[in-house]
Amino acid sequence: MGIAEVLTIFFVVLKLTDVITWSWWLVLLPAILSFSLYAMIGLVKLGLVLIAVVAVKRRRDDEID
């Protein structure tokens, strides 16, 4: 478990026990931010893989000609 998950659980417990009166989006913000970061990293990795695949395909096509 990372710090974002621990903070989310901590904030949810505080919210459910009425210690804090924050809105739910603030309570879940650490989880939202970590998910967004992981999604962006995943998309960048996917883009790099696609670029590599296209480069290899072009190189193979050039070798055939």
Side-chain angles (χ1 to χ4, degrees):
M1 271 180 125
I3 190 155
E5 290 84 5
V6 172
L7 274 175
T8 301
I9 292 170
F10 182 69
F11 290 158
V12 167
V13 169
L14 290 177
K15 172 78 171 169
L16 292 175
T17 57
D18 289 329
V19 174
I20 58 174
T21 58
W22 301 348
S23 64
W24 278 105
W25 75 269
L26 279 175
V27 171
L28 298 174
L29 189 60
I32 294 168
L33 291 176
S34 67
F35 175 77
S36 300
L37 179 64
Y38 295 144
M40 288 173 63
I41 291 171
L43 288 174
V44 167
K45 285 183 179 181
L46 179 62
L48 291 174
V49 167
L50 290 175
I51 289 170
V53 167
V54 168
V56 168
K57 184 176 179 183
R58 284 185 182 171
R59 189 175 303 152
R60 285 186 184 168
D61 289 344
D62 289 343
E63 289 175 359
I64 293 173
D65 291 339

